[in-house]
Structures are given as C-alpha cells and as structure tokens.
Amino acid sequence: MTGTVCVINLKGGCGKTTVATHLAAAFALSGLNTALADLDRQHNSLLWLKLRGNRKPKIRGLNWRSDFGAAPGKAQRLVVDCPASMRGRATRKLVLESDIVVVPILPSIFDEQSTKQFIKRLEELKPIRKGKKPVLLVANRYRPGSIAAQNLEKYVRKTGYPLSARIPDRTIYPAVAEKGLSVFDHATKTMREQQALWLPLMTAVEDRLRGAGGR
Ligand SMILES: Nc1ncnc2c1ncn2[C@@H]1O[C@H](COP(=O)(O)OP(=O)(O)OP(=O)(O)O)[C@@H](O)[C@H]1O
Ligand SMILES: [Mg+2]
C-alpha cells in the first residue's frame, strides 16, 4: 500500500513545496520507494527534482496537472505538493485519497486567518471532522520567542490539531532548494540541527502511516 501525504494550504507561499520536497527527500533517503506528485502549474516540485538530477536514491516525479491521482504501484510513499488555489472538488478528492494532510502555516495574522478558513473547509469532510484522517500543522519560517510565534502557538492550540514541526526562517532553505536538495542531503552540523527539527513531523507521519497499514 502506498502511504500518501498531501501538503496543502490554500494560502500561497507558506512553504508547501519546501515541506513536500523535504518529506520526499527524507522518505527516499530512509530507503522508501518515493514519488513526488506536483499538482501546481508552477511545477516547483518538478523543477526541484530536475535540479536534483540523478542523485540517488531516485524520487519519481509525477505531473498531476493533467492526470490527477495515479500513484506508481511500487511507491511506498507518495507526497503531493498542492497549489495555493484549488477548487473545492479537487481539494476534497485529494484529501479523501490521502492518508495524512500536512498543512504548513506561517506565523502571521493573515496566514492564520486563511488557514482558519481552509481548516473549516477541510472539516466539511467527515473523516477530518471525526478525526479519522490526521491533519498535522507545520509552523514554517518560525522565529522562536517572537510575538508572531507566540500568537501562532495560541492559534494552533485553538484549532485542536497538533503542531508537528517548527521550521525556522533560515536562508539555507532557499539555498538547498536551488540545488534540488534538502537539509537531509547533507551531514554538516548546521544541517543535522535542521534535520532534528523535522523529526517530530517525520515521526508523526510514519506512526500514522504504519498505523494505517502502510509499509
Ligand atoms: N523555513 C524557511 N526559511 C527561509 N525561507 C523559506 C523557508 N521555507 C520556505 N522558504 C522560501 O519561501 C519561498 C516560498 O516557499 P515555498 O515555495 O515552499 O512555498 P509554497 O507554499 O509552495 O508557495 P506557492 O503557494 O507559491 O506554491 C521559497 O522561496 C522558499 O525557498
Ligand atoms: Mg509551491
């Protein structure tokens, strides 16, 4: 069975592609057969894969703009990078077909407001409302101790969904993206520090996928 994780928020620029590419890299580097589907016309995830070149282990790229929904049979993990704007029907189909929904969010009043609306839409779906389909929030460009970070923590507590990672605002993220890499592709001290920050998300994802019968 393919464990499918969709990375989605209807807010632009919150880190969907950064989170999707990092999840895909982490899965592949841990030895899982991994595919990365790009639903966004901007094709940022597919560009990231192109920049990655022939680096092993290979991550299979899927252009889902025209062909929505088929995962390669052998894939153990499928990560779906979503666009900022998606029609209600497409969002519902994708969320229902995914095992886990990961929602990146920036610490800002505007992002909190948009995410609130998005979560309300998600909760129109019974499996989400009933807590059968996990929703994991990821705080991106997080600055520990800032007022914005404190407000975000308050906001997240109100949603009732877990905040599974706090990813700091660091120039290494655009820097690794430019090379088709992730913080998991390096073993320097700085990168290992960053990897540790992703660990709660990776653990939460794996626990839930294994619980759902994934390999
Ligand atoms: N933690 C971070 N620290 C610094 N820069 C970041 C971080 N996360 C993302 N960025 C940068 O912010 C920009 C937007 O991130 P990203 O492309 O992942 O967002 P997105 O939600 O996929 O955007 P879109 O809605 O356009 O698809 C990119 O240039 C990315 O490199
Ligand atoms: Mg994107």
Side-chain angles (χ1 to χ4, degrees), residues 2 47-48 78 82 112 162 185 212:
T2 306
L47 170 64
W48 178 81
L78 169 66
C82 297
E112 285 157 28
D185 291 293

Side-chain angles (χ1 to χ4, degrees), residues 98-176:
S98 301
D99 297 297
I100 301 181
V101 181
V102 172
V103 180
I105 172 170
L106 298 184
S108 101
I109 184 76
F110 305 125
D111 286 66
E112 285 157 28
Q113 176 67 18
S114 305
T115 305
K116 196 170 169 181
Q117 286 164 10
F118 175 59
I119 288 180
K120 211 167 148 193
R121 269 176 71 177
L122 282 181
E123 287 174 343
E124 287 168 13
L125 299 167
K126 202 168 165 191
I128 300 277
R129 212 168 46 243
K130 298 274 178 198
K132 298 232 157 30
K133 194 166 300 266
V135 174
L136 306 177
L137 304 183
V138 173
N140 189 28
R141 307 189 81 155
Y142 185 88
R143 293 170 188 250
S146 65
I147 301 279
Q150 289 167 22
N151 289 340
L152 180 71
E153 298 281 348
K154 270 191 229 154
Y155 162 73
V156 168
R157 274 197 295 278
K158 274 195 240 156
T159 68
Y161 296 104
L163 187 58
S164 296
R166 293 166 181 82
I167 306 303
D169 193 355
R170 295 285 305 266
T171 51
I172 47 171
Y173 284 97
V176 291

Side-chain angles (χ1 to χ4, degrees), residues 8-208:
I8 186 165
N9 190 339
L10 298 186
K11 183 78 179 136
C14 59
K16 296 175 293 295
T17 302
T18 301
V19 172
T21 51
H22 274 76
L23 282 174
F27 288 142
L29 289 161
S30 73
L32 292 158
N33 184 319
T34 302
L36 176 58
D38 199 334
L39 267 177
D40 194 340
R41 279 163 199 257
Q42 296 180 98
H43 285 166
N44 289 346
S45 274
L46 294 181
L47 170 64
W48 178 81
L49 281 175
K50 198 169 161 196
L51 294 166
R52 202 169 168 82
N54 292 325
R55 179 172 273 261
K56 298 270 192 294
K58 190 164 170 49
I59 299 170
R60 179 144 169 208
L62 307 170
N63 179 357
W64 270 11
R65 192 163 72 83
S66 45
D67 179 25
F68 182 92
K74 282 191 191 150
Q76 291 167 290
R77 295 290 176 266
L78 169 66
V79 182
V80 188
D81 181 16
C82 297
S85 60
M86 255 176 100
R87 287 184 188 279
R89 218 172 124 212
T91 307
R92 283 193 293 278
K93 184 175 189 303
L94 177 69
V95 167
L96 291 174
E97 284 182 6
S98 301
D99 297 297
I100 301 181
V101 181
V102 172
V103 180
I105 172 170
L106 298 184
S108 101
I109 184 76
F110 305 125
D111 286 66
E112 285 157 28
Q113 176 67 18
S114 305
T115 305
K116 196 170 169 181
Q117 286 164 10
F118 175 59
I119 288 180
K120 211 167 148 193
R121 269 176 71 177
L122 282 181
E123 287 174 343
E124 287 168 13
L125 299 167
K126 202 168 165 191
I128 300 277
R129 212 168 46 243
K130 298 274 178 198
K132 298 232 157 30
K133 194 166 300 266
V135 174
L136 306 177
L137 304 183
V138 173
N140 189 28
R141 307 189 81 155
Y142 185 88
R143 293 170 188 250
S146 65
I147 301 279
Q150 289 167 22
N151 289 340
L152 180 71
E153 298 281 348
K154 270 191 229 154
Y155 162 73
V156 168
R157 274 197 295 278
K158 274 195 240 156
T159 68
Y161 296 104
L163 187 58
S164 296
R166 293 166 181 82
I167 306 303
D169 193 355
R170 295 285 305 266
T171 51
I172 47 171
Y173 284 97
V176 291
E178 261 180 37
K179 301 192 177 89
L181 297 174
S182 73
V183 300
F184 297 106
D185 291 293
H186 301 271
T188 60
K189 185 168 172 281
T190 310
M191 295 296 182
R192 281 204 308 270
E193 282 164 8
Q194 292 304 308
Q195 291 167 19
L197 300 173
W198 289 85
L199 200 62
L201 173 67
M202 298 312 301
T203 307
V205 166
E206 280 304 313
D207 284 353
R208 284 162 175 83

